[in-house]
């Protein structure tokens, strides 16, 4: 029985409490230091699943495609992230629908702080933290190139800050919607890269990703304005109370602070859109350069073919002697005397 309790500490979320409701009691959860043990266990699970996807799916595809080292590394990265993002989008969508966060947008800020979490919400956050923490040792296991390490570290750090911040500051409902939008755009991007590596002439999914990316950015910005600008300032409990999990809602009563936060959010989203626009312009420039080079090559090939045809029609010179199309001399052949 002692062993079972220790096993539950690793496998199941901790800090469950019974919260009274109109229909009776409801078991919910809050966070604590024991969550680190659960996260550690699921880090090892994530490493195992990562190895399974790599060995039984990505490596077999790589052997058929014969990609270069650079493309091989990017293919593996996108393959892993497609599997993760697809799973996370389906799971996250199920959570926000069953918990009613989409049908009732007011629930994103009503009754803040959201200290007590349903089981599926807490388990989702623990698994998300475990996955992005497992990505750190995977940089070594996958032998990622040194040039790619800073970019991947920056990406992992941003995800960890977002997920851990939403979890610790009791903004889990808002964090779920933002993760759903982000993962949806990332899924289409990495799916487009996989298709591009298999067929470099197929870039249609990049166009789909571009549309999804712009739409999700607009929804993200709207959600920030709705929650930070209008939702949190109307929360009943505005006093600083760390024991109850209320860390900063009182700050949103100050219009200067609220506008400063919204300005920072808008600037960050603008920088993301600028990088996106720069990426699209570079891709279109490369596409048109490739098309123009193909046209020039086709024109040169046509001119060369036309020159060959003209030479065949009029004969050509070889060693100062004009020869006909069949390679024989046009001079009349002398007949031997009988």
């Amino acid at each position: 029985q002692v062993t079972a309790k220790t096993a539950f500490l690793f496998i199941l979320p901790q800090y469950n409490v019974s919260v009274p409701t109109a229909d009776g009691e409801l078991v919910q959860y809050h966070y604590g230091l024991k969550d680190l043990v659960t996260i550690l266990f699921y880090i090892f699970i994530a490493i195992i699943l990562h190895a399974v996807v790599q060995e039984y799916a990505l490596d077999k595809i790589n052997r058929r495609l014969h990609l270069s080292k650079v493309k091989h590394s990017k293919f593996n990265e996108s393959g892993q992230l497609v599997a993760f993002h697809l799973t996370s989008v389906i799971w996250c969508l199920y959570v926000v629908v069953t918990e009613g966060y989409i049908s009732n947008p007011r629930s994103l800020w009503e009754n803040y702080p959201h200290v007590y979490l349903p089981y599926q919400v807490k388990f989702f956050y623990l698994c998300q933290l475990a996955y992005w923490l497992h990505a750190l040792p995977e940089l070594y296991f996958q032998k990622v190139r040194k040039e790619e390490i800073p970019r991947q570290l920056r990406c992992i750090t941003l995800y960890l800050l977002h997920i851990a911040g939403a979890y610790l500051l009791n903004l889990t409902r808002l964090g779920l919607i933002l993760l759903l939008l982000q993962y949806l755009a990332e899924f289409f991007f990495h799916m487009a890269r996989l298709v591009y590596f298999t067929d470099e002439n197929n870039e249609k999914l990049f166009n789909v990703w571009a549309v999804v990316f712009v739409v999700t950015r607009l929804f993200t910005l709207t959600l920030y304005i709705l929650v930070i600008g209008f939702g949190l300032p109307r929360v009943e409990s505005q006093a600083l109370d760390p024991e109850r999990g209320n860390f900063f809602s009182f700050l949103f009563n100050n219009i200067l602070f609220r506008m400063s936060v919204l300005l920072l959010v808008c600037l960050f989203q603008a920088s993301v859109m600028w990088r996106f626009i720069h990426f699209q312009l570079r891709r279109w420039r490369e596409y048109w350069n490739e098309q123009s080079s193909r046209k020039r090559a086709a024109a040169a090939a046509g001119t060369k073919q036309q020159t060959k045809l003209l030479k065949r029609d009029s004969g050509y010179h070889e060693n100062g002697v004009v020869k006909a199309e069949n390679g024989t001399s046009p001079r009349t052949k002398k007949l031997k005397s009988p």
Side-chain angles (χ1 to χ4, degrees):
Q1 190 174 0
V2 176
T3 308
K5 290 181 179 180
T6 306
F8 289 148
L9 180 64
F10 284 89
I11 299 172
L12 299 177
Q14 304 299 308
Y15 303 105
N16 57 314
V17 293
S18 297
V19 179
T21 61
D23 300 329
E25 290 188 348
L26 182 65
V27 178
Q28 292 192 326
Y29 297 81
H30 60 94
Y31 62 80
L33 290 176
K34 291 181 181 179
D35 290 341
L36 297 175
V37 180
T38 310
I39 291 173
L40 179 63
F41 173 76
Y42 285 102
I43 286 175
F44 293 118
I45 297 297
I47 292 175
I48 294 172
L49 293 176
H50 189 114
V52 169
V53 172
Q54 184 67 43
E55 182 174 355
Y56 292 98
L58 299 179
D59 285 347
K60 291 183 178 180
I61 299 174
N62 274 321
R63 293 191 195 101
R64 295 180 180 179
L65 296 178
H66 304 290
L67 300 174
S68 63
K69 289 185 178 180
V70 176
K71 290 184 178 180
H72 184 274
S73 176
K74 291 182 178 180
F75 184 89
N76 287 337
E77 178 191 358
S78 292
Q80 293 288 347
L81 289 176
V82 160
F84 168 72
H85 286 136
L86 179 60
T87 305
S88 296
V89 165
I90 296 173
W91 189 3
C92 189
L93 184 62
Y94 174 79
V95 171
V96 298
V97 169
T98 54
E99 294 297 332
Y101 300 153
I102 292 181
S103 59
N104 181 21
R106 290 178 177 271
S107 62
L108 298 179
W109 63 80
E110 281 183 344
N111 301 320
Y112 178 83
H114 307 134
V115 178
Y116 299 113
L117 308 175
Y119 171 83
Q120 59 180 354
V121 175
K122 174 163 183 173
F123 189 60
F124 177 82
Y125 269 92
L126 294 180
C127 290
Q128 291 294 312
L129 289 170
Y131 179 85
W132 289 109
L133 285 172
H134 112 280
L136 294 173
E138 285 294 345
L139 295 176
Y140 173 76
F141 295 148
Q142 294 292 318
K143 297 180 180 179
V144 177
R145 296 184 305 124
K146 292 183 179 179
E147 298 82 2
E148 292 289 325
I149 290 178
R151 179 185 62 82
Q152 295 199 25
L153 281 177
R154 185 166 59 250
C155 177
I156 294 169
T157 303
L158 287 175
Y159 273 114
L160 285 174
L161 288 176
H162 171 82
I163 298 170
Y167 185 65
L168 297 175
L169 297 176
N170 301 312
L171 288 168
T172 49
R173 299 179 183 180
L174 175 62
L176 280 173
I177 304 296
L178 294 177
L179 274 179
L180 177 61
L181 294 172
Q182 177 66 20
Y183 284 166
L184 186 63
E186 288 292 307
F187 167 74
F188 280 102
F189 172 72
H190 290 288
M191 194 67 199
R193 280 217 304 185
L194 288 181
V195 174
Y196 175 76
F197 288 142
T198 57
D199 181 11
E200 293 188 356
N201 295 321
N202 192 346
E203 297 187 1
K204 294 180 180 179
L205 267 182
F206 278 110
N207 299 327
V208 177
W209 164 70
V211 174
V212 173
F213 182 86
V214 173
V215 172
T216 54
R217 289 303 100 192
L218 291 175
F219 270 106
T220 299
L221 185 59
T222 304
L223 199 60
Y224 271 119
I225 294 174
L226 182 64
V227 175
I228 295 176
F230 300 98
L232 288 177
R234 298 181 181 181
V235 174
E236 295 180 0
S237 177
Q238 294 290 347
L240 176 63
D241 190 1
E243 293 183 358
R244 291 187 63 250
N246 194 343
F247 294 102
F248 58 87
S249 65
F250 71 98
L251 293 173
F252 289 98
N253 277 332
N254 188 335
I255 189 171
L256 181 62
F257 177 80
R258 190 160 68 245
M259 295 304 294
S260 300
V261 172
L262 288 176
L263 179 62
L264 289 175
V265 169
C266 291
L267 289 175
F268 177 75
Q269 294 299 323
S271 68
V272 172
M273 284 301 299
W274 169 250
R275 289 197 297 271
F276 168 77
I277 293 171
H278 184 265
F279 171 78
Q280 290 296 326
L281 291 175
R282 185 181 62 185
R283 189 168 70 90
W284 288 338
R285 193 183 304 116
E286 291 175 354
Y287 173 77
W288 288 114
N289 289 338
E290 183 180 355
Q291 291 297 318
S292 61
S293 63
R294 286 181 179 179
K295 288 180 180 179
R296 287 195 298 268
T303 305
K304 190 175 180 180
Q305 185 69 21
Q306 187 176 4
T307 304
K308 286 183 178 180
L309 291 175
L310 289 173
K311 285 183 177 181
R312 286 184 178 181
D313 292 339
S314 59
Y316 62 96
H317 290 77
E318 183 176 321
N319 296 327
V321 178
V322 178
K323 291 193 174 183
E325 183 181 356
N326 58 3
T328 60
S329 175
R331 291 178 298 177
T332 58
K333 188 176 181 181
K334 292 182 179 181
L335 297 174
K336 291 183 179 179
S337 56

